[in-house]
Amino acid sequence: MLAYLVIREGSKWTDVFRLVPGQTVTVGRAPTNQIVIKDERCSRCHAEVFQSEGRWTLRDLDSRNGTIVGNGLVRGDYSLSPGDIIHIGRSQLAFVDDLSKAFPDSGTVPKVAGPPAPSGNGPVATHDDVASVLDANEPTTITHRRGQTKFLEPREEEDGGVSKIGRAAAKLCRLAFELAKSPDAMSMAKLAISGLFEGTQVDAGALLLLRRGAGPAAEGLEVIASRTDTDLPYYRVSGFLATTVLREGEAVLARNIMGDSTVSSRDSKGEIHATSVICAPIRRGRTVFGLIHLYSTNQSRNPDPDDLEFTLAVADTVAVALGNLHRRQELAENLNTIRDENLQLRERLGVQSEIVGQSPAITRISEEIARAAPSNATVLIRGESGVGKELVARAVHFSSPRRKGPFVCVNCAALAESILESELFGHERGAFTGAVDKKIGKFEAAHRGTLMLDEIGEMSPTIQAKLLRVLEGHPFERVGGSESLKVDVRVIAATNRDLEKDVTEGRFRRDLYFRLHVLEIVVPALRKRPEDIPLLAEYFFQRFNAESGRKLRGFTPRALDQMARYRWPGNVREMKNVVERAIVLAEGENIDVQDLMLSKLPTTGDTTDVPSVPAEFVPASLAEIERRHILATLRATGWNKSQTANLLGIERSTLDRKIQRYELHEAFPRRVP
């Protein structure tokens, strides 16, 4: 059933509003109403008109000044009849079901019961006036709907050359290529809007995306990019139209919307400037990203169904590009997470292994650890005592697939032969005197992990033979037992001996040597990598300074120079003990030379660094030898006369006289001003 509300404000008919079955029309002063009456006597939400049981019903919404129909005040619901005049403040709304009967041929509105017109004379309107009102307020009609676009389907060429669809498809292809290269959503939205303005008959529009976590409703939409080719700003899509398009997943084309606020938003003055509107959802499968909103403000530029098709095609292309962009962002986030985890694992590995240094030797060892870790091959680590062979073994274990398994270390030189056999393979109760209970050996304890055999060169021939069988995959028995046991263990051996020489002299089994010598990592002595001495010194200083609770600042330059020139016969182990002792015993705020208790032991296993032939003797007088010795001591102490006199065992005044006698002050380093 068709019905209309003809609206008169003062003495002038201003609008005609079509009532649509199934839709409730609200009347009030607030701009959110479908019919807005700018009158102080009108409440913000004054009344509503809706269809009930086939009849149009008026309901007052507890307004302050009430709603009048005829001579009576409306209380509750009121069923409207054609010709009823609704009075709200100074405005009147005529309810009619036929516009041709609303105004008689005489050109005057029929008289109805109710308050007199504010002007004192009956309102007068001609048929031309009514026609102009109706033309400007033709009810909105959604003329086309589309669920899929034909631009993304193959089409045959029309007679006479490239069809309009072909040209649109070419534009779409170029646009899709540009969208795929967009680095972010903002750039993508701007490209899409520019392409739509080029391919459709619109002069304003925007691309809106749903905020993360928001449902498919207008409240969750955010304008990413907008454009207008007129002097007017862009007006956001109406909530009703946006929610409808997002919910139904269909693109719509609506024309003649000048008076319909359900499909077009009003400006600050309550006016609607659009003549036609296109709204297309941006969705990929069941995932909805947002929508594209376009409209025309020029009556000479009316979008057609092909424009609707093109807009829907662009929306689908944008959806694919957005999906790819989100996927790239997820991959980038996952990559950053993996990098952070990798860094944390490396830091954790550094804590477990305590491998400190940046020298080429340490870099080479790290590379060898990385190559050896993934396999199950036996590793032989060689180096002098105290260089950190166990730390390298730990690094291999914690970098390998066995890192979740146990890491067990046995020092073969610290145990007698009988005890070492029991330690490695276990024993049964009563196997020997003192075996009061069954014991699990290190091989069983290291099942699915790593077993390190330190100082393997000290192992007796009997234990070597049994170890060789286990390494070749044969089962073994506990001492005093008969049960065959088989374990999954990776063996890492370490030694500071020359195993090749031991094999030649018959102290080490040849077959065991070749079984152990699958992968080899040689750890150089500390004196062969002096670049790492300051780093190791700082590492041990920070560690023991925190553990002891002292507030020392660090090393003096002279102390660092002394440590760099020292040959470290005990390697890293000796440096660790020297730094720990210095922190505990240091009297000043910094560790100085006198706090470093360095030994005078010769280095072992590195005879190439020490001349095998003594230096040639040069005869000299006692005075010359004394002069040289005093000068060397002064330089070693940084020309600290008190410390030099202490070391020489003489008085300070005696030292001053000798400096004067031997003219040593000339050798004192002068500061450049």
Side-chain angles (χ1 to χ4, degrees), residues 18 35 110 159-160 162 182 300 371 399 417 431 573 590 660 673:
R18 180 184 178 185
I35 299 177
D159 296 338
V162 180
S182 299
S300 63
R371 289 194 294 268
S399 301
E417 178 181 339
R573 183 185 292 120
N590 296 286
Q660 187 69 24

Side-chain angles (χ1 to χ4, degrees), residues 12-128:
K12 184 178 180 181
W13 296 101
T14 60
D15 206 349
V16 177
F17 194 91
R18 180 184 178 185
L19 300 177
V20 179
Q23 294 184 6
T24 300
V25 177
T26 59
V27 184
R29 194 175 75 253
T32 55
N33 295 285
Q34 282 82 4
I35 299 177
V36 179
I37 297 178
K38 299 178 181 179
D39 188 344
E40 293 181 356
R41 299 182 183 180
C42 178
S43 299
R44 291 183 58 81
C45 295
H46 197 100
E48 62 181 4
V49 179
F50 57 93
Q51 193 178 48
S52 177
E53 298 180 356
R55 296 182 60 85
W56 288 99
T57 303
L58 171 68
R59 175 182 295 167
D60 184 80
L61 300 177
D62 295 328
S63 61
R64 182 179 58 187
N65 296 314
T67 303
I68 299 174
V69 177
N71 293 321
L73 188 65
V74 174
R75 299 184 183 277
D77 294 349
Y78 179 86
S79 296
L80 294 171
S81 300
D84 282 344
I85 301 295
I86 304 170
H87 298 269
I88 297 178
R90 289 189 293 268
S91 300
Q92 299 179 13
L93 293 82
F95 175 77
V96 296
D97 58 359
D98 187 352
L99 287 175
S100 62
K101 298 178 180 179
F103 302 94
D105 294 338
S106 61
T108 60
V109 175
K111 294 181 180 180
V112 293
S119 59
N121 298 321
V124 178
T126 64
H127 287 293
D128 292 338

Side-chain angles (χ1 to χ4, degrees), residues 362-414:
I362 292 297
T363 303
R364 175 182 54 79
I365 291 173
S366 300
E367 294 173 353
E368 291 175 351
I369 291 173
R371 289 194 294 268
S375 70
N376 287 320
T378 306
V379 180
L380 179 61
I381 303 175
R382 307 176 72 165
E384 294 181 13
S385 179
V387 294
K389 296 186 290 296
E390 182 179 345
L391 304 183
V392 174
R394 286 182 177 274
V396 173
H397 170 73
F398 286 104
S399 301
S400 71
R402 297 175 177 266
R403 57 182 170 270
K404 294 183 179 179
F407 177 82
V408 181
C409 182
V410 179
N411 190 334
C412 301

Side-chain angles (χ1 to χ4, degrees), residues 437-451:
D437 202 354
K438 182 177 71 173
K439 179 181 178 180
I440 299 298
K442 299 300 184 183
F443 268 98
E444 291 181 75
H447 181 58
R448 294 183 179 176
T450 303
L451 174 63

Side-chain angles (χ1 to χ4, degrees), residues 2 45 162 318 382 393 400 464 499 525 547 550 578 594 643:
L2 298 179
C45 295
V162 180
V318 169
R382 307 176 72 165
S400 71
Q464 291 179 27
L499 291 184
E547 289 180 2
R550 301 204 60 180
V578 166
Q594 64 270 17
Q643 189 175 353

